[in-house]
Amino acid sequence: MAYQNLLIEYKDRIAYITINRESKLNALNKATLGELHQAIANAFADEQIGGILITGAGSKAFVAGADIAEFIGVDVAGGREIAREGHTKIFDLIENSSKPVIAAINGFALGGGLELAMACHIRLAADTAKMGLPEVTLGLIPGYGGTQRLTRLVGKGKAMEMIMTGDMVTAAEAHQLGLVNQVTTAENLLPAAEALLQKILSRAPLAIAAAITAINAAGRNDVNGFETEIEEFAKCFGTADFKEGVAAFLQKGKPGFKGE
Ligand code: COA
């Protein structure tokens, strides 16, 4: 598929997805959202790909939000559809994937941009980045999971403050809040994200998938996270990678995981 709004590169088992609408600060219009769904689904289905790294084109923005111009004329039913489709096709898809997804936040991550980063499993930010959920300044609230994921990441009080004021936080503040895992210089952002993802890809893939499932269960009310952990832990014992990992440890060698 040829993409109009994304740059896609596959290298060393990583799919690099760059949102590429620099003149609109990489805002997520309908076309971009559709392409993003396709690119993510393709990377998840591709056995050669171990994980995804998402960033924004240019140095100014990761993603400055959903495309506000497309909100004109949307009614209540339309708003519901925008949110539900976004949740299913992109944000939940990323969060619940069996492959690790890292956001490299290279500039403004606002509204749907911060929601995209929060759906990823890990977030790195350039020291120049700014993040916020400014939807109330438009008469809206976050609709792509922001009220839930921000609350889980930074706690209810700070989420209330950030969402009700619409104020941005700096990368340093975001790090302090636990909203991002690491802050680097802008030029070291992609190398740092890549190094972190490569380290994760050197571990047993099925164990990584199990860890994602179990950790995600901690944020859900509809499943018992401890039961999920027991099941995911147990399943690992049925994998060839488990046997490989333990044998390599006992022989003081390096494991060659196959994701089996
Ligand atoms: N949707 C649509 N277009 C957007 C956009 C968005 N979320 N964010 C930025 N753009 C567009 C601007 O309209 C402008 O387009 P133009 O050059 O055709 O006029 C271009 O991107 C550059 O943005 P601009 O506002 O001129 O840059 P700035 O440096 O003055 O301000 C921001 C940067 C990020 C503070 C500002 O663009 C902003 O507040 N964006 C909206 C953020 C937001 O509310 N997001 C939540 C959406 S639900």
Side-chain angles (χ1 to χ4, degrees):
M1 172 172 174
Y3 295 98
Q4 307 301 315
N5 304 290
L6 302 179
L7 300 172
I8 309 282
E9 195 190 345
Y10 287 5
K11 202 179 75 188
D12 299 333
R13 299 191 61 226
I14 296 178
Y16 295 79
I17 300 179
T18 303
I19 321 281
N20 188 32
R21 288 186 80 213
E22 209 178 328
S23 68
K24 296 290 178 189
L25 304 188
N26 304 322
L28 299 172
N29 62 356
K30 220 171 164 195
T32 307
L33 287 165
E35 291 186 6
L36 198 50
H37 167 76
Q38 199 55 56
I40 291 165
N42 287 352
F44 288 161
D46 188 335
E47 283 182 10
Q48 305 300 315
I49 295 299
I52 299 180
L53 204 158
I54 301 179
T55 194
S59 56
K60 191 166 173 184
F62 173 71
V63 168
D67 193 314
I68 298 168
E70 290 188 348
F71 285 159
I72 293 166
V74 174
D75 61 10
V76 172
R80 186 175 296 118
E81 195 185 320
I82 287 172
R84 201 172 291 287
E85 193 170 314
H87 279 243
T88 314
K89 289 197 166 163
I90 296 181
F91 299 83
D92 294 351
L93 183 69
I94 293 173
E95 183 169 57
N96 298 321
S97 96
S98 56
K99 297 182 183 179
V101 185
I102 292 185
I105 305 172
N106 54 307
F108 287 114
L110 302 174
L114 181 55
E115 290 172 301
L116 177 62
M118 290 194 295
C120 296
H121 303 117
I122 294 176
R123 285 153 293 286
L124 271 65
D127 52 14
T128 47
K130 286 193 169 169
M131 284 152 262
L133 294 177
E135 285 86 348
V136 294
T137 66
L138 301 167
L140 295 170
I141 67 165
Y144 286 146
T147 61
Q148 306 305 297
R149 293 195 177 97
L150 185 66
T151 305
R152 285 172 191 160
L153 283 166
V154 307
K156 186 173 170 182
K158 193 66 193 178
M160 285 281 188
E161 181 188 332
M162 282 180 67
I163 291 172
M164 292 199 291
T165 62
D167 284 347
M168 298 181 206
V169 294
T170 62
E173 287 165 338
H175 188 223
Q176 246 181 356
L177 289 167
L179 181 52
V180 300
N181 298 65
Q182 255 185 61
V183 178
T184 74
T185 58
E187 68 182 8
N188 195 42
L189 179 65
L190 284 182
E194 200 174 284
L196 182 57
L197 190 47
Q198 284 300 356
K199 180 184 275 189
I200 294 168
L201 297 186
S202 74
R203 311 310 190 203
L206 296 175
I208 296 298
I212 292 172
T213 302
I215 294 166
N216 279 344
R220 291 173 53 174
N221 298 322
D222 60 331
V223 294
N224 179 325
F226 290 97
E227 284 301 324
T228 305
E229 182 186 277
I230 290 167
E231 274 315 301
E232 293 298 327
F233 173 75
K235 274 180 2 199
C236 291
F237 286 87
T239 66
D241 282 351
F242 153 70
K243 293 179 184 70
E244 168 72 14
V246 170
F249 177 82
L250 294 175
Q251 289 159 19
K252 303 195 187 305
K254 255 187 111 183
F257 293 124
K258 294 200 174 82
E260 293 168 3

